Amino acid sequence: MTYRRLLIINIVVIFLVIIAGFVAYYLYNQSILYITTDNAEVTGQQIPIAAPATGKLTDWHGNEGQSFQAGATLGHVQVSQGNSTVSVPVTMPQSGIIALDQGVDNGVVAAGTPLAYTYDLNNLWVTANIKETQVNDIKPGQSVDVYVDSEPGISLKGRVASIGDATAAIFSLLPQQTATADYTKVT
């Protein structure tokens, strides 16, 4: 082997060792300083829009994805009172975007029937489930970075508002139980 070839091989090996060192340091730093989870969901306060009276729903235009201000009229319910008909407006209880539209124009509705559901997209939060071994490393007020799958490459800034005192298994529809009295630890 020539001296020049040996020198190139040594430089490449040293370069690869340096890159591997940086990658190892980065991964170690991420695992020690940061807590991550894939078990999270973005939620908000669901606001139902209900029929104000029993009658025929007319002029309905509360379509999914549309944004409305508080007090906006989404349609009317025609109520028969004796020989006359009264039109009662269906209004938006607060500003938001329609997430689910169940109103059918010219359909008969009962008072209190949900016609649509809306969310205020300016008031959303993330509920994240983390391992119980990491709970002591999280404090209310800490800053967090949130990455949402539907918006790749975008980091949202937030803070920890509160820490729940129960595990996800407590709220499960089918909690884990055993009939044999053996115990399996789950983190």
Side-chain angles (χ1 to χ4, degrees):
M1 221 184 258
T2 65
Y3 175 72
R4 183 177 189 163
R5 188 174 200 158
L6 187 60
L7 180 64
I8 291 173
I9 291 173
N10 282 338
I11 290 174
V12 168
V13 168
I14 290 171
F15 183 70
L16 290 175
V17 167
I18 290 172
I19 289 176
F22 278 119
V23 169
Y25 172 75
Y26 174 79
L27 293 175
Y28 175 76
N29 191 27
Q30 291 292 314
S31 68
I32 296 299
L33 296 180
Y34 300 101
I35 296 172
T36 61
T37 183
D38 290 348
N39 189 0
E41 69 176 343
V42 178
T43 55
Q45 179 64 45
Q46 184 181 60
I47 305 157
I49 300 169
T54 300
K56 181 179 176 183
L57 181 64
T58 61
D59 196 30
W60 179 253
H61 56 271
N63 299 324
E64 288 182 22
Q66 282 188 306
S67 178
F68 294 96
Q69 296 298 319
T73 301
L74 302 176
H76 294 87
V77 176
Q78 289 184 348
V79 180
S80 296
Q81 293 181 342
N83 293 335
S84 64
T85 302
V86 176
S87 183
V88 180
V90 179
T91 58
M92 190 78 164
Q94 77 179 58
S95 299
I97 292 180
I98 304 289
L100 178 63
D101 175 17
Q102 295 178 323
V104 177
D105 205 21
N106 295 320
V108 177
V109 295
T113 302
L115 300 174
Y117 292 94
T118 183
Y119 287 90
D120 178 6
L121 297 186
N122 294 319
N123 188 19
L124 299 176
W125 59 87
V126 176
T127 301
N129 296 311
I130 59 166
K131 294 179 181 176
E132 62 198 39
T133 55
Q134 297 173 326
V135 164
N136 290 335
D137 297 331
I138 298 175
K139 304 286 185 257
Q142 281 182 324
S143 63
V144 294
D145 294 329
V146 178
Y147 302 94
V148 182
D149 292 340
S150 65
E151 301 291 335
I154 295 177
S155 171
L156 304 172
K157 301 292 183 193
R159 64 175 183 79
V160 176
S162 64
I163 299 172
D165 292 331
T167 64
I170 295 297
F171 303 110
S172 174
L173 291 176
L174 299 171
Q176 293 180 349
Q177 295 179 355
T178 178
T180 60
D182 59 348
Y183 176 74
T184 305
K185 181 173 174 74
V186 177
T187 304

